[in-house]
Amino acid sequence: MDDLIDAAREIQADAHVPYSEYPVGAALETEDGEVFVGCNLENANFSNSLHAEEVAIAEAVKNGHREFSRLAVSSDRRDGVTPCGMCRQTLSEFCDGDLAVFCDEGEDEAPSKYTLEELLPNTISQETLE
């Protein structure tokens, strides 16, 4: 898990955050152990901004992955940031409810750990739309 937190911290340096000044990094591990990272990319039209988790999962899916085991999320403030509701819904499109989500609490603290289902109970899914 430390390797994922480190990857999420490292990618923050590439974030484009001129408005919030709140860089976030995400590292998503596939079932076969490959890691894809993403950082937030803000836009003056805030609705066009991309979140770190979305960027990571887009990269993984673009590369043919559809099964994931763990996600780590970190901000430069090490404040235990969790994926937002929009990112949780995007993750639920590709990940099972038991996806482990680790949220960076800082150097001296263990990361908080959740499952995707804990973060997003009763998600909207293909089954609920039928």
Side-chain angles (χ1 to χ4, degrees), residues 4 41 43 56 122:
L4 278 185
L41 307 168
N43 185 293
N122 303 314

Side-chain angles (χ1 to χ4, degrees), residues 5 43 58 78 91 108 114:
I5 292 287
N43 185 293
R78 309 295 191 256
L91 289 163
D108 298 329
Y114 306 94

Side-chain angles (χ1 to χ4, degrees), residues 57-78:
I57 200 161
E59 187 68 18
V61 169
K62 179 185 84 168
N63 282 280
H65 295 278
R66 298 290 189 280
E67 295 181 8
F68 305 97
S69 60
R70 303 184 305 163
L71 171 73
V73 183
S74 177
S75 78
D76 71 335
R77 298 188 186 141
R78 309 295 191 256

Side-chain angles (χ1 to χ4, degrees), residues 40-98:
N40 52 334
L41 307 168
E42 294 178 348
N43 185 293
N45 170 359
F46 289 110
S47 65
N48 290 353
S49 296
L50 299 173
H51 298 190
E53 301 89 335
E54 293 177 297
V55 174
I57 200 161
E59 187 68 18
V61 169
K62 179 185 84 168
N63 282 280
H65 295 278
R66 298 290 189 280
E67 295 181 8
F68 305 97
S69 60
R70 303 184 305 163
L71 171 73
V73 183
S74 177
S75 78
D76 71 335
R77 298 188 186 141
R78 309 295 191 256
D79 55 3
V81 64
T82 63
C84 74
M86 182 175 68
C87 290
R88 294 173 190 191
Q89 183 62 49
T90 299
L91 289 163
S92 74
E93 184 72 17
F94 298 98
C95 304
D96 292 332
D98 63 352

Side-chain angles (χ1 to χ4, degrees), residues 93-110:
E93 184 72 17
F94 298 98
C95 304
D96 292 332
D98 63 352
L99 175 77
V101 180
F102 297 94
C103 302
D104 191 0
E105 300 283 356
E107 300 292 338
D108 298 329
E109 300 288 329

